[in-house]
């Protein structure tokens, strides 16, 4: 019998997302329950958006949650390298194999030509996907471009019509119409593979037997199935897990909820509580109990118990569960240990010392001055902003624009933050000090405290944005209509 092998394949293009941890958890439990292995692979083929910082945070967060992998870029293993950017020659070789077998073709179309093609199809009311016959150029034109050394991509051939049936472990047979599937690019003009190519080749070479991933990948499955057929490889079993949702049932998004594991860590959630809560997302123990350990989940795991109704990631429930863990599982020694791990440690406190040193006369001045480094949402109400001489609408706009701007700041340090703040200050025609006054209150909860920019850096991106969003709520929130107007103005500013 083949050994069960599962994997998590994150793209290191941002903060470590709770959705990644959720999918990792289910893959880990599935593998362990079958006595199998769980692999971590970094899908960093998007060279523009992938960063080492993000990769580091993802690995660190998953490990913090107790989700250990058997093979991966940091621990090695027999199927490495486990970072796609280091596997370029493997994909090139496989793309060539598809070309030789006539399953793929070189496409010399320029992006202008592709745009024109799309436009003219739109005008004609043709909605289907781009097929090889739409893209292919006359033979002599191909030859000319080839001899002149034009850049090209390698695309896969796809059927014109018919139905592709995908078997899903939870959903049964899913039918996708081939007319909707385009002649996917496999290798880009710079020789880098696309997600589809690298994902299929790696899953095969790494011996993956079961692919458990988010339901947003269902539409990729036909392309993957076809690639397995072209290579004459056995396709892993597929299982598309339901997406995590905000309490309003929309897809969990950082605009509405903190989604970064960094936030939950900074906020003081225990890793075992967060892992337990993620295990409750669409899954339940046979006896329906809410509190269970990772070990227990592994023992009792059964993929068929996953229900497909969109699981709601509810902060209040998570907070309740976290409280249970603190009260029931931690004695004084355990709590002390947890507090040390969380923030009362040299590494964290050392970051705060330069902030408090110039402002204290006695050591006891530290607690009131640095309280915001050790708290969640500051205790503020709308009167906390009385000293800010901005009308309400402008104040809300300022806070909201800042939230949006901060979403894209990377790396999260003072050098990257400063230009954003300066630019927004100019936009609102406010001097730096006046611009930062309400931000100061939102972040520190008071009008006198340590430097707000430094506090933002130390607290991290998600905690900073969560506090700004909290301030917006305290100030009465932003209506749907107003949000639309703000979004428009924000886009114009970009
Ligand atoms: N790199 C993809 C992601 O970011 C992996 C999707 C898959 O599991 O196939 O989620």
């Amino acid at each position: 019998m083949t050994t069960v092998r599962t994997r998590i394949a994150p793209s290191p293009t941002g903060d470590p997302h709770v959705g990644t941890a959720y999918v990792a958890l289910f893959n880990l439990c599935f593998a362990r329950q079958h006595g199998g292995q769980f692999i971590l692979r970094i899908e960093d083929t998007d060279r523009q958006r992938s960063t080492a910082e993000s990769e580091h945070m993802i690995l660190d967060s998953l490990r913090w949650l107790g989700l250990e992998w058997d093979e991966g870029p940091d621990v090695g293993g027999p199927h490495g390298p486990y970072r796609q950017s280091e596997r370029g020659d493997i994909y090139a070789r496989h793309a060539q194999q598809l070309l030789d077998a006539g399953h793929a073709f070189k496409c010399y179309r320029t992006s202008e030509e592709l745009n024109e093609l799309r436009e003219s199809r739109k005008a004609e009311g043709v909605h289907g996907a781009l097929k090889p016959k739409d893209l292919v150029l006359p033979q002599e034109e191909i030859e000319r471009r080839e001899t002149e050394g034009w850049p090209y991509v390698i695309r896969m051939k796809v059927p014109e019509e018919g139905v592709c049936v995908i078997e899903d472990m939870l959903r049964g047979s899913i039918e996708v119409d081939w007319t909707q599937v385009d002649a996917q690019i496999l290798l880009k003009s710079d020789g880098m593979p696309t997600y589809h190519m690298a994902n299929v080749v790696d899953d095969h070479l790494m011996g993956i037997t079961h692919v458990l991933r988010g339901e947003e990948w269902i539409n990729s499955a036909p392309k993957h199935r076809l690639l397995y057929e072209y290579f004459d490889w056995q396709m892993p079993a597929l299982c598309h897990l339901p997406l995590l949702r905000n309490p309003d049932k929309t897809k969990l998004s950082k605009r509405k909820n903190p989604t970064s594991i960094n936030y939950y860590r900074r906020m003081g959630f225990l890793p075992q509580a967060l892992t337990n809560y993620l295990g409750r997302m669409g899954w339940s123990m046979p006896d329906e109990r809410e509190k269970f350990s990772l070990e227990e989940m592994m023992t009792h795991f059964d993929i068929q118990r996953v229900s497909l109704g969109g699981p709601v990631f509810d902060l209040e429930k998570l907070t309740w569960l976290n409280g249970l863990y603190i009260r029931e599982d931690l004695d004084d020694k355990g709590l002390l240990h947890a507090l040390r791990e969380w923030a009362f440690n040299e590494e964290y406190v050392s970051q705060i010392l330069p902030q408090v040193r110039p402002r204290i006369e006695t050591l006891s001045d530290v607690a009131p001055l640095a309280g915001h480094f050790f708290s969640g949402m500051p205790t503020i109400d709308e009167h906390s902003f009385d000293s800010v001489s901005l009308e309400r609408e402008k104040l809300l706009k300022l806070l909201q624009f800042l939230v949006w701007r901060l979403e894209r700041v990377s790396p999260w340090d003072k050098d990257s933050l400063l230009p954003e703040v300066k630019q927004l200050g100019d936009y609102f025609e406010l001097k730096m000090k006046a611009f930062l006054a309400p931000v100061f209150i939102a972040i520190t909860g008071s009008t006198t405290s340590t430097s707000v920019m430094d506090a933002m850096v130390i607290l991290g991106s998600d905690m900073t944005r969560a506090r700004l969003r909290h301030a917006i709520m305290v100030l009465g929130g932003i209506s749907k209509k107003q949000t639309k107007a703000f979004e428009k103005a924000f886009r114009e500013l970009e």
Side-chain angles (χ1 to χ4, degrees):
M1 225 177 72
T2 44
T3 314
V4 166
R5 283 170 63 85
T6 64
R7 49 58 165 188
I8 182 76
S11 299
T13 53
D15 282 342
H17 199 281
V18 283
T20 304
Y22 157 65
V23 176
L25 170 66
F26 281 57
N27 273 286
L28 172 66
C29 288
F30 186 83
R32 289 288 177 267
Q33 181 221 4
H34 289 92
Q37 288 135 11
F38 170 59
I39 284 91
L40 187 143
R41 176 174 76 230
I42 291 292
E43 299 208 329
D44 56 351
T45 53
D46 184 341
R47 301 307 296 149
Q48 248 99 52
R49 294 176 60 229
S50 298
T51 65
E53 185 200 16
S54 169
E55 178 186 317
H56 173 77
M57 289 193 298
I58 293 171
L59 266 58
D60 185 49
S61 305
L62 295 179
R63 193 160 271 137
W64 175 70
L65 288 168
L67 309 174
E68 294 281 342
W69 45 98
D70 302 298
E71 298 166 29
D74 55 339
V75 294
H79 302 276
Y82 292 90
R83 215 175 264 118
Q84 289 185 331
S85 57
E86 293 164 20
R87 298 171 64 81
D89 52 335
I90 301 178
Y91 311 123
R93 226 170 35 237
H94 283 86
Q96 187 59 46
Q97 197 180 320
L98 292 179
L99 279 178
D100 294 344
H103 296 311
F105 62 102
K106 289 182 183 174
C107 177
Y108 284 95
R109 291 278 188 176
T110 62
S111 44
E112 293 79 42
E113 283 173 342
L114 288 173
N115 284 340
E116 267 170 41
L117 203 62
R118 288 197 190 96
E119 286 304 317
S120 67
R121 284 158 62 93
K122 213 155 95 195
E124 286 166 30
V126 185
H127 294 298
L130 276 181
K131 297 290 180 185
K133 74 165 181 355
D134 303 312
L135 293 159
V136 83
L137 290 159
Q139 191 54 34
E140 60 273 27
E141 184 59 17
I142 298 181
E143 277 161 22
R144 181 178 77 88
R145 293 188 184 190
E146 195 160 15
T147 347
E148 289 176 11
W150 287 41
Y152 64 89
V153 299
I154 296 178
R155 291 179 184 269
M156 68 190 287
K157 292 193 179 162
V158 286
E160 300 274 326
E161 52 188 24
V163 174
C164 174
V165 183
I166 301 296
E167 293 304 328
D168 183 282
M169 290 161 70
L170 291 172
R171 295 160 202 264
S173 304
I174 304 172
E175 296 194 351
V176 184
D177 203 329
W178 278 119
T179 53
Q180 299 308 316
V181 182
D182 54 18
Q184 174 63 47
I185 297 180
L186 299 176
L187 230 49
K188 296 179 262 191
S189 54
D190 62 1
M192 274 306 246
T194 54
Y195 153 73
H196 305 279
M197 179 70 181
N199 190 271
V200 164
V201 168
D202 285 351
D203 278 347
H204 175 72
L205 294 181
M206 295 181 180
I208 302 303
T209 57
H210 295 76
V211 168
L212 279 60
R213 62 181 169 200
E215 67 182 293
E216 73 267 35
W217 300 102
I218 287 180
N219 285 338
S220 303
K223 292 172 188 171
H224 297 185
R225 221 198 82 175
L226 197 53
L227 284 174
Y228 282 100
E229 273 173 33
Y230 286 164
F231 283 119
D232 200 15
W233 293 337
Q234 170 154 15
M235 187 172 185
L238 291 185
C239 175
H240 292 94
L241 296 166
L243 283 181
L244 302 185
R245 311 231 159 230
N246 296 309
D248 67 5
K249 285 282 181 180
T250 53
K251 179 180 160 202
L252 189 69
S253 69
K254 63 180 171 192
R255 294 237 155 155
K256 298 198 173 159
N257 244 319
T259 54
S260 161
I261 300 168
N262 292 338
Y263 167 83
Y264 294 93
R265 209 165 161 177
R266 180 76 281 132
M267 192 69 187
F269 286 94
L270 301 176
Q272 58 271 42
L274 183 51
T275 303
N276 180 166
Y277 189 62
L278 289 172
R280 297 277 300 125
M281 295 292 99
W283 192 79
S284 58
M285 286 290 260
D287 63 3
E288 301 282 334
R289 92 189 99 126
E290 303 226 37
K291 187 167 168 249
F292 49 84
S293 67
L294 178 55
E295 286 298 317
E296 288 169 321
M297 180 166 173
M298 284 176 188
T299 313
H300 295 281
F301 192 69
D302 174 1
I303 192 77
Q304 293 308 330
R305 288 184 63 81
V306 171
S307 85
L308 293 174
V312 171
F313 190 86
D314 182 348
L315 253 171
E316 268 178 48
K317 270 229 133 150
L318 169 62
T319 309
W320 165 81
L321 188 64
N322 200 62
L324 282 192
Y325 270 91
I326 291 185
R327 291 191 302 277
E328 293 175 3
D329 288 29
L330 301 184
D331 57 11
D332 285 352
K333 217 168 136 209
L335 185 52
L336 187 62
H337 179 75
L339 283 166
R340 281 218 183 100
E341 287 274 293
W342 171 58
F344 292 106
N345 56 56
E346 224 175 293
E347 196 204 333
Y348 190 60
V349 174
S350 310
Q351 293 180 60
I352 294 161
L353 294 186
Q355 304 302 316
V356 293
R357 184 197 294 283
R359 297 176 173 86
I360 59 171
E361 286 172 322
T362 60
L363 300 179
S364 56
D365 287 338
V366 170
L369 198 58
H372 59 285
F373 288 111
F374 299 90
S375 64
M377 295 306 121
T379 324
I380 46 172
D381 60 25
E382 54 180 333
H383 296 298
S384 309
F385 294 86
D386 283 350
S387 60
V388 176
S389 53
L390 287 176
E391 54 168 40
R392 180 68 59 101
E393 164 128 0
K394 193 164 177 192
L395 178 54
L396 286 169
K397 190 173 176 187
L398 183 156
L399 294 170
Q400 183 60 69
F401 272 39
L402 186 58
V403 171
W404 286 338
R405 267 298 165 98
L406 296 183
E407 278 175 8
R408 65 169 197 204
V409 170
S410 169
W412 186 256
D413 57 26
K414 221 169 161 178
D415 288 343
S416 320
L417 278 176
L418 216 54
E420 300 291 343
V421 169
K422 278 213 178 100
Q423 221 192 340
L424 281 182
D426 290 346
Y427 173 79
F428 286 98
E429 296 177 341
L430 290 171
K431 291 227 164 66
M432 188 77 147
K433 205 164 170 213
F435 178 85
L436 284 178
V439 181
F440 201 104
I441 298 162
I443 301 294
T444 71
S446 100
T447 46
T448 49
S449 188
T450 62
S451 143
V452 65
M453 294 288 278
D454 288 302
M456 284 158 68
V457 171
I458 294 170
L459 288 166
S461 167
D462 268 68
M463 179 59 104
T464 297
R465 285 183 287 117
R467 288 192 186 178
L468 292 169
R469 274 202 308 264
H470 176 68
I472 291 174
M473 262 187 27
V474 160
L475 285 162
I478 304 173
S479 70
K480 273 215 173 99
K481 201 170 140 215
Q482 220 170 8
T483 306
K484 283 235 162 74
F486 284 179
E487 275 170 353
K488 187 160 174 275
F490 186 74
R491 273 197 303 272
E492 279 160 13
L493 166 70
E494 293 289 273

